[in-house]
Amino acid sequence: MKQLMSFSATVTHELRDMLDKYIGSEYHHISITPEAVSSKINHMFIMTPWDQKLDVLAKYIEEHKDQKLLIFTQTKIATDELADKLSDMWLQAFAIHGDIRQRDRNNTIKAFKENKAKILIATDVASRWLNLNAIDLVINRDVPQDPESYVHRIGRTGRAGAEGKAITLVTREEMKYIYTIEKRNKILIKEVDIHGN
């Protein structure tokens, strides 16, 4: 008898759709523990007009260039575009998403794990199957509109008792998502300036 299992920190609509597609609708969902956000993660946001997000992101990366960064965007196109723009600014960044061939994805992850690259840009779905440790900082270039996605994204830092940082670039229009994330996950996301103060 064949048995198929899937493990995830969160169960989003996208994940349910994939389970329905590949496993069928008759699967069992087991929740081991209630979702919890690590108390070792420092949650921050920078208020940023949309047209300044790239400049703010580049400056923030420059100030943290010795750290291993995982940056999240909403779409595959945004992931590729951001990797290209950062590379044009001499900030070596790799993109990973569902349209990238498996061999190239494996090479990208290997380079990131071996510290040949310090910046990895990903979509939510592509990052679900990544096993990455020692992520110093998670940056949300795009605010996740689903509070569960926030938990999944920032759960890549602050692992195994280590301290971590998560920063989100937020427009005034996106603040409603920050309030929802705080309320749903019972956390406080502090506003900081570009230097993290």
Side-chain angles (χ1 to χ4, degrees):
M1 180 173 146
K2 183 171 82 170
Q3 186 177 35
L4 192 59
M5 295 181 166
S6 173
F7 299 89
S8 179
T10 58
V11 182
T12 62
H13 297 296
E14 294 88 356
L15 181 59
R16 282 196 175 100
D17 289 344
M18 280 201 293
L19 291 172
D20 289 342
K21 181 178 178 180
Y22 295 108
I23 297 177
S25 59
E26 295 184 15
Y27 58 85
H28 297 284
H29 173 232
I30 300 170
S31 180
I32 304 300
T33 58
E35 281 176 34
V37 178
S38 171
S39 60
K40 298 263 188 185
I41 298 175
N42 186 8
H43 305 272
M44 302 166 284
F45 75 90
I46 299 174
M47 187 71 74
T48 313
W50 178 258
D51 61 353
Q52 294 177 28
K53 278 196 176 188
L54 178 62
D55 291 335
V56 169
L57 179 61
K59 286 176 188 168
Y60 199 82
I61 290 171
E62 270 300 327
E63 290 200 10
H64 298 82
K65 60 185 171 190
D66 294 332
Q67 295 186 330
K68 222 166 181 179
L69 311 177
L70 180 55
I71 303 172
F72 284 99
T73 62
Q74 296 285 67
T75 66
K76 299 170 190 175
I77 292 171
T79 300
D80 286 332
E81 286 177 351
L82 183 57
D84 290 341
K85 286 176 182 174
L86 291 178
S87 295
D88 288 344
M89 299 171 146
W90 304 100
L91 296 167
Q92 187 179 19
F94 288 108
I96 189 159
H97 54 70
D99 286 349
I100 294 174
R101 291 183 305 182
Q102 187 62 46
R103 185 187 72 213
D104 295 332
R105 289 178 64 176
N106 291 343
N107 290 338
T108 295
I109 297 306
K110 185 172 184 238
F112 190 67
K113 285 183 174 179
E114 293 174 354
N115 289 321
K116 292 176 183 169
K118 296 244 181 201
I119 304 170
L120 182 64
I121 306 168
T123 57
D124 289 324
V125 175
S127 72
R128 283 197 172 273
W129 320 111
L130 300 179
N131 181 18
L132 299 172
N133 293 318
I135 303 293
D136 301 304
L137 173 63
V138 170
I139 301 176
N140 294 306
R141 198 285 304 262
D142 299 329
V143 181
Q145 297 176 12
D146 175 10
E148 283 190 26
S149 292
Y150 181 84
V151 171
H152 185 79
R153 288 180 180 190
I154 60 99
R156 302 315 177 104
T157 188
R159 287 186 165 189
E163 293 190 359
K165 288 193 294 187
I167 191 141
T168 304
L169 304 183
V170 185
T171 65
R172 292 204 180 279
E173 296 76 23
E174 291 172 320
M175 277 305 297
K176 61 187 176 189
Y177 300 121
I178 294 294
Y179 299 138
T180 303
I181 289 166
E182 287 181 316
K183 184 178 178 183
R184 163 67 174 73
N185 298 311
K186 298 179 178 62
I187 57 172
L188 175 65
I189 306 176
K190 298 169 289 197
E191 184 173 6
V192 295
D193 63 19
I194 197 164
H195 307 293
N197 300 317

